Amino acid sequence: MSATPSTMAHGTRLALHDKVATIDSSHRLAGALGPYQARVEDALRHWLSLVTQAAPPAVRDAMAYSLFAPGKRLRPLLALLACEAAGGALEPALPAACAVEMVHTYSLVHDDLPAMDDDDLRRGQPTCHKKFGEALAILAGDALLTGAFEVLAAGCEARVAAVSCLELSRGAGAVGMVGGQTLDLQAEGKVGRGQWTVGSENQAEGSESQS
């Protein structure tokens, strides 16, 4: 049965209503998350100033350029909201939220490098290596990664810091984010599959000594 003008008009009204409802929900969500985002921004500035207090200005500038590029801060927001959902308080969770965002930013800086994804733009502005050069971009990424663990160690109670460092290192390391990036590069043919197993380095040393 073909659609009549009245059914088509009804469908158009429903679609328009859905769009308006979606926009309204988005505005309400943005309003609810605004205070959290503001706290995250303040905390990131606080912690970045501490971990770069005696750093060379060049690497500090590259770190800040990437960390404060336009973004929604979804990862730290999820960390804070998860803490609140479990009955925790906002303030003690801020170091962990900042650490997660610093690790995320480091991953973007390194992913954009020519040897990886080779991107010129990130979040609407030149990527870190395009702005500061490849060498400084690598160092800025390294400093953001290590700085994240400094934030956890300095900002959290000892037991919480230890557990948080363990979980973040697992999630960001060889079996987590780095491992995923490796698989992406393998799929693109940029790196080999690898053959290393536990003890294989000793076998290689033994064969070299016999030659």
Side-chain angles (χ1 to χ4, degrees), residues 16-146:
L16 181 60
H17 176 271
D18 290 342
K19 289 181 180 179
V20 171
T22 300
I23 293 171
D24 181 60
S25 297
S26 298
H27 285 168
R28 283 188 282 124
L29 179 61
L33 294 180
Y36 292 90
Q37 290 171 320
R39 287 298 296 118
V40 168
E41 294 297 324
D42 290 342
L44 282 170
R45 294 186 186 282
H46 167 74
W47 284 110
L48 185 66
S49 68
L50 287 181
V51 300
T52 62
Q53 196 166 23
V59 73
R60 182 187 62 213
D61 290 349
M63 292 168 70
Y65 176 82
S66 299
L67 188 60
F68 297 111
K72 298 181 180 67
R73 305 299 191 200
L74 293 179
R75 289 155 190 82
L77 286 176
L78 286 173
L80 295 180
L81 293 173
C83 178
E84 286 198 340
L90 176 69
E91 290 300 320
L94 280 168
C98 291
V100 169
E101 186 69 358
M102 291 172 74
V103 170
H104 172 59
T105 304
Y106 125 79
S107 75
L108 299 182
V109 172
H110 281 193
D111 282 352
D112 290 336
L113 289 166
M116 303 283 278
D117 293 341
D118 194 15
D119 287 319
D120 294 341
L121 293 174
R122 168 70 66 179
R123 295 173 176 172
Q125 63 185 35
T127 51
C128 189
H129 72 274
K130 285 295 181 181
K131 177 78 172 179
F132 297 95
E134 290 180 34
L136 197 54
I138 293 171
L139 293 174
D142 292 344
L144 284 165
L145 175 61
T146 53

Side-chain angles (χ1 to χ4, degrees), residues 115-189:
M116 303 283 278
D117 293 341
D118 194 15
D119 287 319
D120 294 341
L121 293 174
R122 168 70 66 179
R123 295 173 176 172
Q125 63 185 35
T127 51
C128 189
H129 72 274
K130 285 295 181 181
K131 177 78 172 179
F132 297 95
E134 290 180 34
L136 197 54
I138 293 171
L139 293 174
D142 292 344
L144 284 165
L145 175 61
T146 53
F149 293 97
E150 182 179 347
V151 169
L152 288 174
C156 298
E157 181 268 331
R159 183 175 181 279
V160 174
V163 173
S164 298
C165 285
L166 177 62
E167 292 300 326
L168 187 58
S169 63
R170 284 174 173 169
V175 296
M177 183 173 62
V178 171
Q181 183 65 53
T182 302
L183 295 177
D184 286 345
L185 292 173
Q186 287 176 346
E188 296 170 7

